[in-house]
């Protein structure tokens, strides 16, 4: 199959330029002006539209196996490609937890049949599975995931000796959820004493507080420096934490890296009054000052990656009182729209957006032949129209849970086409029912 994109405005490797692009089967075969349309199967006129590498989301929870009433690999990967995400990395806190090589591989088997997007699954670490962690194949698994604070599906790793062993003995990237459990339990008890289980949402960021985040993040960074581990901190939420990270060396040389999520760049604690538990995440959305600090660190390269932490729950589950309402929300269909809106408002350039959502995840995880628009690379691409608008509503939400904290929001951009391995997964907004996602491979030198 040959597909020719004509007159696209390509955003890639800190450049914006107009060009044609030829896809042959699953690869980008040619990038130049005035490519001949001879023997081409399909021509797409991309005049006036931006062509980006497919988005790589390094942190999602697609809920399969075991939690599929909330979402599953098929439903959530479908929403992902509709939103321009062509590759995702899914977390191990499914049921059962992916904490043995056998259980991890079962998730890959499911995805091979059901995923619209390219996929990788993190191996989960626990207090007592070091032998299993060390068996993880660096060629075809994204990394090791540790929960240093408990969240949905409790996989808390809190044994100092275990942590030092994992950090010392694995060469693979270790991705961590950092919140100090003792601080959270103490804060929760204080507010439960006052309010019972129905704690007002406005206190969420004081329970899962700046201190809870910084204590845990700083300990993880200290341990990584001590052991030489390759550490990646998920979903940084506070301005204070951004001081832990460097921007004076290239990303490829960093041993300690950081990610921020779109919701922490979007909402503040002031939004709890209107949105309640719909924006209850762990770690919590913090203050406007924290949001400003996150933006500053993102733009000056202390923070390396933008992701979603997509984590759907049903509407009914979210209506519970504070202590019983689960944390997490669905975002993969709308994360690129959110960031394009920030581009439109002058907060980020398209080049920087592509760096943080496409190039950097590929560099950081050493993904083979993805994340860039280069000849010979996999044809994972997204075409966007930044002059078209739509409003998020129940009718156009694709998440299995059927809701979004962004309902009523008008975006001034649309994802018109998404290519996954050269296959046109989304064509003028229409999603194909064919699945062409592949297992991600990693080009690692150990």
């Amino acid at each position: 199959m040959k597909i020719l994109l004509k007159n696209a405005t390509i955003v890639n490797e800190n450049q914006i330029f107009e060009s044609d692009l030829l896809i042959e089967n699953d690869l980008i075969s040619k990038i130049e002006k005035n490519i001949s349309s001879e023997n081409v199967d399909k021509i797409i006129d991309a005049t006036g539209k931006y062509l980006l590498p497919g988005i790589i989301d390094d942190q999602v929870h697609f809920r399969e196996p075991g939690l599929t009433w909330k979402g599953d690999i098929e439903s959530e990967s479908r929403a992902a490609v509709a939103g321009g995400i062509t590759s995702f990395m899914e977390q191990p806190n499914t049921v059962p937890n992916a904490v043995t090589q056998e259980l991890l591989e079962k998730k890959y088997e499911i995805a091979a049949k059901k995923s619209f997007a390219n996929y990788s699954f993190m191996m989960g670490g626990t207090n007592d599975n070091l032998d299993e962690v060390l068996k993880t194949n660096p060629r075809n698994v994204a990394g090791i995931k540790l929960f240093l604070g408990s969240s949905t599906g409790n996989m808390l790793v809190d044994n100092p000796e275990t942590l030092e062993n994992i950090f010392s003995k694995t060469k693979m990237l270790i991705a961590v959820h950092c919140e100090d459990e003792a601080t959270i339990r103490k804060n929760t008890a204080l507010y439960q004493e006052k309010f019972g289980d129905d704690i007002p949402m406005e206190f969420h960021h004081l329970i899962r507080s700046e201190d809870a985040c910084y204590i845990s993040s700083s300990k993880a960074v200290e341990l990584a420096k001590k052991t030489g581990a390759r550490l990646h901190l998920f979903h940084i939420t506070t301005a204070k934490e951004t001081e832990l990270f460097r921007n004076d060396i290239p990303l490829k040389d960093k041993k300690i890296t950081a990610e921020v999520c779109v919701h922490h760049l979007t909402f503040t604690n002031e939004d709890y009054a209107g949105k309640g538990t719909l924006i209850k995440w762990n770690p919590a959305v913090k203050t406007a000052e924290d949001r400003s600090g996150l933006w500053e660190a993102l733009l000056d390269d202390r923070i390396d990656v933008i992701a979603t932490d997509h984590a759907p729950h049903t509407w009914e589950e979210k209506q519970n009182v504070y202590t019983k309402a689960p944390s997490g929300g669905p975002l993969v269909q709308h994360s690129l729209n959110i960031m394009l809106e920030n581009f439109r408002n002058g907060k980020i350039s398209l080049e920087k957006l592509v760096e943080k959502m496409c190039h950097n995840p590929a560099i950081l995880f050493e993904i083979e032949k993805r994340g860039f628009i280069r000849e010979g690379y996999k044809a994972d691409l997204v075409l966007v129209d930044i002059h078209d608008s739509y409003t998020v509503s129940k009718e156009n939400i694709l998440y299995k849970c059927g809701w979004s904290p962004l309902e009523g929001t008008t975006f001034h951009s649309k994802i018109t086409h998404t290519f996954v391995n050269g296959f046109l997964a989304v064509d003028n907004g229409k999603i194909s029912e064919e699945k062409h996602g592949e297992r991600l491979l990693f080009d690692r030198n150990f």
Side-chain angles (χ1 to χ4, degrees), residues 268 345 361 366 406 409:
T268 73
N345 294 333
E366 300 173 280
L406 298 162
T409 300

Side-chain angles (χ1 to χ4, degrees), residues 209-246:
S209 62
E210 177 191 82
D211 281 349
C213 292
Y214 187 80
I215 289 168
S216 184
S217 295
S218 59
K219 282 181 180 177
V221 168
E222 183 181 351
L223 186 56
K225 288 178 177 177
K226 175 184 175 182
T227 58
R230 174 67 187 87
L231 179 67
H232 183 53
L233 286 90
F234 278 154
H235 45 44
I236 297 301
T237 61
T238 70
K240 187 174 182 181
E241 286 172 286
T242 66
E243 299 164 8
L244 296 168
F245 308 109
R246 297 176 62 176

Side-chain angles (χ1 to χ4, degrees), residues 18 33 44 60 80 113 132 193 221 260 274 291 303 380 383 431-432 438 441:
E18 191 172 295
K33 289 193 174 183
I44 296 173
V60 303
K113 298 172 184 174
E132 286 292 315
E193 189 177 343
V221 168
V260 68
R291 183 177 63 181
I303 292 178
D380 294 340
L383 197 60
I431 305 167
S432 172
E438 295 179 354
L441 296 175

Side-chain angles (χ1 to χ4, degrees), residues 3 10 22 67 77 111 232 251 255 280 292 301-302 367 394:
I3 302 174
I10 295 175
L22 181 65
L67 302 164
S77 69
H232 183 53
L251 177 59
K255 294 278 283 185
K280 186 187 182 197
S292 294
D301 296 335
R302 282 173 289 153
I367 302 172
K394 288 265 191 286

Side-chain angles (χ1 to χ4, degrees), residues 341-352:
E341 206 67 15
N342 283 306
F343 158 69
R344 185 173 182 268
N345 294 333
K347 295 189 87 167
I348 190 169
S349 68
L350 282 176
E351 298 96 319
K352 185 66 75 174

Side-chain angles (χ1 to χ4, degrees), residues 292-325:
S292 294
L294 295 174
W295 270 105
E296 183 180 336
L298 179 71
L299 297 174
D300 74 15
D301 296 335
R302 282 173 289 153
I303 292 178
D304 306 291
V305 169
I306 299 169
T308 64
D309 194 16
H310 174 90
H313 299 283
T314 67
W315 178 264
E316 292 73 23
E317 288 169 330
K318 279 289 195 177
Q319 302 316 301
N320 283 309
V321 296
Y322 175 85
T323 57
K324 294 180 172 57

Side-chain angles (χ1 to χ4, degrees), residues 150-151 177-179 184 187 201-210 212-213 234-239 241 260-261 263-265 267-270 272 276 279-288 290-291 294 309 322 327-328:
S150 61
S151 190
H177 173 131
C178 285
E179 290 182 285
I184 292 168
N187 292 342
M201 262 303 297
E202 66 196 74
F203 296 113
H204 185 51
H205 74 293
L206 301 177
I207 293 171
R208 289 182 172 265
S209 62
E210 177 191 82
C213 292
F234 278 154
H235 45 44
I236 297 301
T237 61
T238 70
E241 286 172 286
V260 68
C261 291
H263 47 288
H264 295 124
L265 294 172
F267 300 108
T268 73
N269 62 302
E270 294 175 8
Y272 288 134
I279 61 166
K280 186 187 182 197
W281 279 283
N282 298 341
V285 168
K286 304 292 199 298
T287 66
D290 285 310
R291 183 177 63 181
L294 295 174
D309 194 16
Y322 175 85
S327 292

